[in-house]
Amino acid sequence: MKELRHIAQTREQVLAWTIEKAERDYPGQICLMIQSLNLRFPEERAVPSIDFFVPADGFADTLSRTFIIDGVGVDVYARSWARLEEMAELNDYNAHLMGEGTVVYARSEEDRQRFLALQARFRAHLADPDFMYQKALERLDTAMRLYQQGLFEENLGRVRMYAGYVADYLAQAIACANGDYFRYSQVSQLEELARMRTPEGFCEAYEAIYRADSAAALRTLAEWMVRQTRAFLEENRPPRPETTPDWNGLAGWYQELSYTWLRIRYYCAQNDFRRVFAWGIFLQQELDIVAEEFGFPPIDLLSRYDPDDLPAFAAWSDETERQIRAILTEHGAKIAEYADFAEFARENP
């Protein structure tokens, strides 16, 4: 392997070349050059280098280069101000570039301060539990989609790749729930997780992925890690802010959705399990949404669904409707309900 001191010297020379070329060939068009040394070999970290540059808005980038010098690969690439904004909002995979980045060249003090302001926003987000919890849920959602994609792969290498990224995004979700990020991106996550609260057994399962030698073992580990992380995030959900729910708004929701309960009763009586199922899944989703929004216990409609005993399901569906009506009554919400049209017309002239 190339002597690491020589690699460091090459990095330093490339930075000097980039600055010279920017000032000579693109005067005023390069705002910043940023370094983030955590993914370098330790022997390289003593000298300044460049990870990416920030061109002026509207600049047609021609400074980017990829090349190899005496066996050392170099990538000089651009990140726009818009992309830096995404990094500050933790919407970019490479959060460490914002958290650990330092300015090695600035066109002006204004440009330097603009970058430092983005770093300050990044750190403020880390200290905001509600913001970071949403970011954790986004990482969890990505991990679950990757897990689903891996279910349909047969090639061991591709399953291994999907399982690795499932573990990566789940680890990111855990870091976000801790108000943290990985300073070394994905390459030292187990070491960095040691300073964080984690689901029980998560790190051991992550370690097992490194050694798993079959697609079935990888899928089993990935699924278990998804389940553990989901439970961990639910247990560590930030307290909801104190608000006064709009119970009359829930009454309006019920007045609209009452027709769905009527549909379920009708199709149960017709023994039409297909339509009962279709309206049942729709109503379950709606029940989940309002339970979350209004803070009452979840109402489990579909666990009682049985295509071979629809009368029992109809009775249970009616019970869930009674539960909603009881919640509305308890909170003094008025249901706009009339015995017939004549009564409606009298009260709504």
Side-chain angles (χ1 to χ4, degrees):
M1 181 178 176
K2 185 68 61 179
E3 185 181 356
L4 294 179
R5 193 177 349 173
H6 177 66
I7 296 176
Q9 183 182 27
T10 298
R11 299 280 187 205
E12 192 171 24
Q13 290 170 332
V14 167
L15 173 61
W17 172 87
T18 307
I19 293 173
E20 180 183 355
K21 187 168 184 62
E23 292 181 338
R24 183 187 68 233
D25 297 345
Y26 311 105
Q29 297 300 310
I30 307 302
C31 301
L32 297 172
M33 296 180 193
I34 305 295
Q35 71 173 5
S36 178
L37 301 175
N38 285 3
L39 296 186
R40 305 282 189 221
F41 295 117
E43 291 83 353
E44 292 184 72
R45 297 176 193 162
V47 300
S49 63
I50 177 173
D51 274 273
F52 64 90
F53 65 92
V54 183
D57 291 335
F59 173 58
D61 168 35
T62 54
L63 180 58
S64 292
R65 299 284 192 283
T66 57
F67 46 87
I68 300 171
I69 297 177
D70 194 17
V72 180
V74 180
D75 180 14
V76 178
Y77 67 98
R79 280 182 177 246
S80 65
W81 283 109
R83 182 120 183 240
L84 265 61
E85 294 273 347
E86 290 296 295
M87 290 165 60
E89 295 298 314
L90 283 94
N91 294 330
D92 190 286
Y93 180 87
N94 293 298
H96 70 282
L97 292 177
M98 178 58 66
E100 304 299 304
T102 57
V103 178
V104 290
Y105 169 86
R107 177 184 64 174
S108 66
E109 185 59 24
E110 180 181 357
D111 291 316
R112 184 190 303 274
Q113 291 302 319
R114 184 177 177 183
F115 178 75
L116 294 178
L118 290 174
Q119 282 192 316
R121 188 199 306 175
F122 175 84
R123 296 190 178 104
H125 285 325
L126 294 176
D128 182 344
D130 291 320
F131 181 91
M132 294 304 292
Y133 188 76
Q134 289 305 311
K135 295 303 168 184
L137 294 179
E138 291 171 14
R139 268 60 169 189
L140 172 63
D141 183 65
T142 300
M144 290 193 294
R145 285 189 279 109
L146 288 166
Y147 168 71
Q148 291 167 350
Q149 291 171 1
L151 286 175
F152 299 97
E153 287 292 343
E154 299 298 331
N155 177 271
L156 175 59
R158 290 190 64 78
V159 177
R160 187 167 276 143
M161 178 189 71
Y162 279 118
Y165 272 111
V166 167
D168 174 13
Y169 275 96
L170 292 176
Q172 291 184 50
I174 293 166
C176 288
N178 279 269
D180 211 337
Y181 68 101
F182 290 111
R183 286 146 183 80
Y184 296 86
S185 191
Q186 78 273 36
V187 298
S188 299
Q189 286 179 336
L190 281 174
E191 293 87 343
E192 295 200 66
L193 283 168
R195 69 171 184 268
M196 305 179 196
R197 293 173 294 111
T198 61
E200 186 175 354
F202 181 88
C203 292
E204 291 79 1
Y206 200 151
E207 182 80 31
I209 282 180
Y210 296 143
R211 298 181 176 276
D213 58 3
S214 72
L218 288 161
R219 290 190 184 104
T220 298
L221 286 165
E223 179 183 353
W224 187 87
M225 293 170 76
V226 167
R227 290 182 182 277
Q228 290 297 100
T229 305
R230 287 185 68 186
F232 175 81
L233 294 183
E234 186 60 35
E235 291 166 3
N236 289 276
R237 179 190 295 269
R240 292 187 180 90
E242 292 293 331
T243 59
T244 302
D246 178 13
W247 297 106
N248 287 325
L250 182 63
W253 171 89
Y254 168 67
Q255 287 154 199
E256 176 186 351
L257 271 291
S258 64
Y259 196 71
T260 302
W261 271 285
L262 182 61
R263 287 181 174 115
I264 290 174
R265 282 193 290 275
Y266 174 82
Y267 288 118
C268 281
Q270 300 295 314
N271 202 34
D272 188 342
F273 60 85
R274 295 181 182 89
R275 288 174 177 78
V276 170
F277 184 83
W279 286 114
I281 64 172
F282 167 75
L283 183 55
Q284 182 67 75
Q285 181 187 41
E286 289 287 329
L287 288 167
D288 289 349
I289 291 170
V290 293
E292 172 74 17
E293 181 178 349
F294 287 86
F296 56 79
I299 295 177
D300 185 359
L301 171 69
L302 284 180
S303 290
R304 304 283 188 94
Y305 169 78
D306 183 350
D308 297 319
D309 191 359
L310 292 180
F313 182 66
W316 175 244
S317 175
D318 290 346
E319 172 58 26
T320 65
E321 184 176 15
R322 281 191 288 273
Q323 290 178 31
I324 289 293
R325 293 179 68 96
I327 290 169
L328 291 170
T329 299
E330 177 186 354
H331 292 92
K334 179 174 175 54
I335 301 173
E337 195 167 33
Y338 309 93
D340 52 32
F341 181 77
E343 181 183 355
F344 167 79
R346 282 196 305 273
E347 296 193 19
N348 296 273

